[in-house]
Amino acid sequence: MKRLMKYLSDYKKESVLAPLFKLLEAFFELLVPLVMANIIDRGIAQKDMGYIGRMGLCLLTLAVVGLVSSITAQYFAAKAAVGFSTKLRQALFDHIQGLDFTNIDKAGTSTMITRMTSDINQVQSGVNMVLRLFLRSPIIVFGAMIMAFTIDVKSALIFVVAIPLLALVVFGIMMWTMPLYKKVQAGLDKVLGITRENLTGVRVIRAFHQEEVEEKRFQDSTRALADSQIFVGKISAVMNPVTYLVVNGAIIALIYTGAIQVNVGNLSQGEVVAIINYMSQILVELVKLANLIITITKALACADRVASVFAFENQTPEGIESGAAGNSTGDAAPFLQFDHVAFAYAGAGANTLHGIDFSVRKGETVGIIGGTGSGKSSLVNLIPGFYPVTEGAIRLEGRDISGMSQEELRQRVGVVPQKAVLFKGTIRSNLQWGKPDATEEEMWQAIDTAQAREVVEGKENGLDAEIAQNGKNLSGGQRQRLTIARALVRRPQILILDDSASALDYATDAKLRSALRNLEGGATTFIVSQRASSIRHADKIIVLDDGEMAGIGTHDELLENCEVYKEIYYSQYPEERLKAAKASGADRAAGTEKKGGVSNGGR
C-alpha cells in the first residue's frame, strides 16, 4: 500500500481537510450529551421552558454545523479518493503497456483486468473510508471515554474495560479475514478468466456442443467463489453482534452503577443519561469502525495485488541509446543476423528454440516453414524484441537489438500477427496505428499492396467506414488484409508476416506476394506460413523442426537435401511426389541400361 500512496500526493490538501472536517463534526457531536444533560437537569427538572428552548436551538446549531462539516469532509474525501484511483489506474495501464510479453504471459489477461477494475475500485473505497472515518471513529471513542471521566470517574471505569475488549474483537477479526479476502479476489480472477475464455471462444464452444461442460465449469468456479465469500462474510458478520453484546453489557453496567450513584446523590439523572449516550456513541462508532476495518482489509488485500503488478519488471532493460538507426554495413554484409540463438518461455522446462544461426541480407525475402509447434512464431517474435533471447544474440546492422530502445527497434519493424487484430474505430484510424501522420495516398498504396482495395471500396464510407471491436463486422480474410495494410503504411525496413495470409485464397495470396516483392525501399520480409506455395519463391527458406533448423536454402535446394521440407511439400502437392518418383525411376533405369550396355560391349 505504501508504494501506491505516491499517487495521493497531488491531493494533499484534500487528504488533510477531509479528516479535519470530520474531527470538527466529532467535537460537535461530543457536546450533544452534555447539552442533553443540562436540558434534563435544569430545563425539565426546573420546568424552565426558556432554557429548554435555548438549549434546543443550541442542539439544532450543533446539528447544522455537524452536517455542513460532514458534507464538506465527504466532498474532499471523495475528490481525493477518485483522483487517487484515476492516477493509479492510469499508472497501472501505462506500466502494463511497457511490460514485455514474458511478464504479460506470466500475469495473465484476466488477472490484469481484475487488478485494473475491481481491485482499484476496492482501494478507492478504502481510501475514501479512511479519510472520512479513520480519525473520526477513534476520536469519538476516546473522546466519549474522556467526557465520561469528566462526569464521573467510577462510571467511566466501565469504558476502560469495554473499549479494549471491543478493540480485541475488531482487530482480531481483521487479522483473520485479511488473507481470506485475498483468496476471494484470487477466486474472482479465476471466474473472470473463464468468462473471458467463453466470450472469446463462444463459436468454438457451440461448434463442439460444449455448452453444458462450460456451464458446469463456470458454475463450479462461481460456487467456489461464493463459498469463499460466504465463509469470510460469516466471520466478518460476527463483528457486529459481538460489539453490540459488549456495548450493551457495558450500558447495563452503567445503568446499574448510575442508579446507585444517583441514589446516593453523586450523580444527577441528566449526567447518567449523558454517560449512557456516550456509550451509545461508542457503540455506533465501533460498528462504523468494524465496517471500516472490513473495507480497509479488502483494500489492503487489493492494494497488494495491484502493487504485485508494479513489481513486474522487464528482463531486458531499455536500451540506453535511442539515436540514429546506425549505418548500413553494405549489401554484402548481413542486415539481420541470428547468432546461435536459443529461447525458452518463462516457466518452460526446455528451450523452445535452440541453435538458430543464420543471416539475412537487406531486401531479401525469407520464408519460415515447419510443423505445428516447431517454433516459427517464436522465432519471428524475437526480431521486434517481444521476448528476450535466452542464449546468443540477434544483430540488426551489426548492433545487438537488446541494446536498442523499443521505440527505435519497433519503428523499423512492421508486424502482422498470427491473429488479425483490429480496433474499434474506422479503417483510417486503424491504418494510422502504423503511421499517425499517413496521407491518404500512403494509405491507398498500402491498401493496394495488401490487396484490400475491394474491402475498403466496398464499404459505404471508404476509409471512414466503421470497424467494430476486433473487426467483428469483417470476414477473416478482410481482417488479415487490413492488418497487412496497417503494417505496410509505416514502410518498415523489416516486415514480418506471421501466417497472416492463412484466410486468403491462393489467387489473392499470390497477388499479395507479388506486390510485396515489388515494394519500394526493398523491405526485408519474413513470411511464416504452413503453405509451401507461399514461401517457395523466397530468397531463403528456413525449415524448423522441434525448435531446431532442419534446413536452410532455396526451394530447389531444400527439395534435394532436406527431408523435413520434402515431407511438407509433397504432403501438399502429392502429384509432385509422383513426378519426382517417376523421374527418379527413369534416372535409375537409364543408369542401369547404360551400365548394362557398357558391360555387353565389353563382352
Side-chain angles (χ1 to χ4, degrees):
M1 190 69 181
K2 289 180 181 178
R3 182 172 183 173
L4 308 185
M5 283 299 100
K6 64 182 180 181
Y7 301 106
L8 200 59
S9 58
D10 290 339
Y11 299 93
K12 291 177 181 176
K13 180 182 71 176
E14 289 82 359
S15 300
V16 171
L17 289 176
L20 284 180
F21 275 99
K22 272 295 177 182
L23 288 179
L24 187 62
E25 178 198 1
F27 289 137
F28 286 123
E29 195 169 321
L30 288 172
L31 296 175
V32 171
L34 296 179
V35 176
M36 286 299 300
N38 287 331
I39 290 175
I40 294 170
D41 291 339
R42 294 179 58 182
I44 296 175
Q46 299 175 15
K47 298 181 181 179
D48 186 347
M49 299 304 295
Y51 185 80
I52 293 173
R54 290 194 300 273
M55 289 297 102
L57 285 174
C58 183
L59 284 176
L60 184 61
T61 303
L62 290 174
V64 171
V65 174
L67 178 63
V68 171
S69 299
S70 177
I71 292 172
T72 306
Q74 292 194 27
Y75 167 76
F76 285 124
K79 184 177 180 181
V82 172
F84 161 78
S85 66
T86 301
K87 286 183 174 294
L88 176 58
R89 189 176 283 112
Q90 185 63 51
L92 183 62
F93 183 80
D94 293 343
H95 181 73
I96 291 171
Q97 288 293 307
L99 290 177
D100 58 27
F101 283 23
T102 301
N103 283 314
I104 291 174
D105 292 345
K106 190 188 300 181
T109 305
S110 59
T111 299
M112 296 289 194
I113 293 171
T114 307
R115 301 291 197 272
M116 198 173 295
T117 53
S118 174
D119 286 343
I120 290 183
N121 285 343
Q122 290 283 6
V123 176
Q124 175 185 324
S125 298
V127 171
N128 192 359
M129 294 293 284
V130 165
L131 293 177
R132 285 170 48 196
L133 295 176
F134 196 67
L135 284 180
R136 170 188 153 75
S137 293
I139 288 294
I140 289 286
V141 171
F142 291 105
M145 184 175 68
I146 292 168
M147 295 299 285
F149 269 103
T150 62
I151 295 172
D152 182 58
V153 175
K154 189 174 181 180
S155 300
L157 289 174
I158 297 170
F159 287 75
V160 177
V161 176
I163 290 175
L165 281 175
L166 291 167
L168 183 65
V169 171
V170 169
F171 288 100
I173 291 176
M174 181 189 76
M175 297 305 293
W176 191 3
T177 55
M178 187 178 291
L180 295 176
Y181 279 119
K182 289 184 181 180
K183 186 178 177 181
V184 167
Q185 290 300 118
L188 185 61
D189 274 353
K190 186 176 180 182
V191 170
L192 184 61
I194 294 173
T195 304
R196 182 175 176 275
E197 281 183 348
N198 275 265
L199 290 176
T200 54
V202 62
R203 289 181 174 85
V204 178
I205 292 168
R206 291 179 180 174
F208 287 90
H209 194 55
Q210 293 294 304
E211 292 94 337
E212 292 183 3
V213 175
E214 290 302 313
E215 284 174 10
K216 185 178 184 303
R217 190 161 74 104
F218 183 79
Q219 187 178 24
D220 292 342
S221 297
T222 51
R223 187 182 295 114
L225 176 61
D227 290 342
S228 299
Q229 288 175 319
I230 291 169
F231 179 67
V232 71
K234 285 178 179 178
I235 298 171
S236 299
V238 171
M239 192 178 293
N240 280 2
V242 173
T243 51
Y244 273 103
L245 180 65
V246 174
V247 171
N248 284 316
I251 288 174
I252 292 170
L254 281 174
I255 293 172
Y256 177 78
T257 306
I260 295 173
Q261 294 290 84
V262 170
N263 193 41
V264 299
N266 291 336
L267 283 178
S268 65
Q269 293 175 344
E271 288 173 332
V272 173
V273 171
I275 292 174
I276 293 172
N277 279 342
Y278 281 128
M279 183 57 75
S280 298
Q281 282 184 347
I282 289 175
L283 171 62
V284 171
E285 289 306 319
L286 282 171
V287 170
K288 288 182 182 178
L289 185 62
N291 292 326
L292 172 64
I293 293 298
I294 293 171
T295 303
I296 291 175
T297 303
K298 291 180 181 179
L300 289 174
C302 293
D304 286 342
R305 287 156 54 82
V306 173
S308 69
V309 178
F310 282 111
F312 286 130
E313 297 291 344
N314 292 336
Q315 293 180 10
T316 305
E318 278 287 301
I320 299 172
E321 303 176 292
S322 59
N327 297 322
S328 175
T329 53
D331 291 337
F335 174 66
L336 182 70
Q337 181 183 16
F338 275 65
D339 186 4
H340 297 91
V341 169
F343 167 69
Y345 288 100
N351 285 340
T352 301
L353 298 171
H354 39 91
I356 306 299
D357 190 77
F358 67 90
S359 59
V360 180
R361 291 194 180 97
K362 192 169 187 177
E364 281 189 330
T365 298
V366 181
I368 300 175
I369 196 168
T372 302
S374 59
K376 302 185 295 297
S377 294
S378 298
L379 189 149
V380 293
N381 281 335
L382 298 177
I383 298 171
F386 290 158
Y387 294 94
V389 299
T390 307
E391 297 174 16
I394 302 173
R395 296 185 180 90
L396 179 59
E397 294 186 329
R399 293 173 59 191
D400 193 328
I401 65 169
S402 64
M404 301 171 67
S405 70
Q406 287 187 1
E407 182 179 1
E408 178 189 358
L409 178 60
R410 291 174 189 172
Q411 280 294 327
R412 305 177 70 180
V413 180
V415 180
V416 185
Q418 205 165 10
K419 181 182 178 183
V421 177
L422 294 172
F423 295 87
K424 183 176 174 61
T426 62
I427 294 176
R428 185 190 304 276
S429 67
N430 272 275
L431 293 180
Q432 285 173 336
W433 275 64
K435 187 179 180 184
D437 58 347
T439 63
E440 284 208 12
E441 182 182 355
E442 289 174 323
M443 290 185 191
W444 281 110
Q445 284 179 353
I447 288 168
D448 285 336
T449 304
Q451 311 302 307
R453 178 174 281 271
E454 65 182 74
V455 178
V456 181
E457 290 183 343
K459 301 294 179 182
E460 185 176 347
N461 297 320
L463 285 171
D464 295 312
E466 289 293 323
I467 299 293
Q469 186 178 16
N470 264 337
K472 294 296 184 184
N473 57 339
L474 299 173
S475 68
Q478 290 173 332
R479 285 199 298 271
Q480 283 191 339
R481 281 179 279 176
L482 287 177
T483 53
I484 293 170
R486 180 177 60 197
L488 291 171
V489 164
R490 74 195 308 170
R491 295 188 178 180
Q493 295 179 16
I494 300 173
L495 177 64
I496 298 172
L497 304 177
D498 186 4
D499 205 12
S500 51
S502 57
L504 304 184
D505 58 78
Y506 282 93
T508 305
D509 186 18
K511 290 178 183 177
L512 172 64
R513 284 184 279 108
S514 175
L516 290 175
R517 281 196 299 272
N518 297 322
L519 272 177
E520 293 182 13
T524 303
T525 306
F526 287 82
I527 302 174
V528 177
S529 181
Q530 300 282 4
R531 296 178 183 172
S533 62
S534 296
I535 51 98
R536 67 180 295 176
H537 298 295
D539 300 309
K540 192 175 291 180
I541 300 172
I542 298 171
V543 184
L544 293 178
D545 183 35
D546 196 22
E548 293 183 330
M549 288 176 58
I552 183 169
T554 63
H555 170 72
D556 293 333
E557 291 171 348
L558 291 172
L559 279 181
E560 288 182 11
N561 54 38
C562 182
E563 290 298 325
V564 176
Y565 185 76
K566 279 196 284 187
E567 186 64 32
I568 294 171
Y569 181 73
Y570 288 141
S571 67
Q572 296 176 14
Y573 297 96
E575 67 278 5
E576 294 288 332
R577 185 193 292 272
L578 292 174
K579 289 181 183 178
K582 287 179 181 178
S584 177
D587 288 343
R588 282 197 299 271
T592 302
E593 184 179 343
K594 184 177 180 181
K595 183 178 179 181
V598 171
S599 177
N600 289 333
R603 281 194 298 269

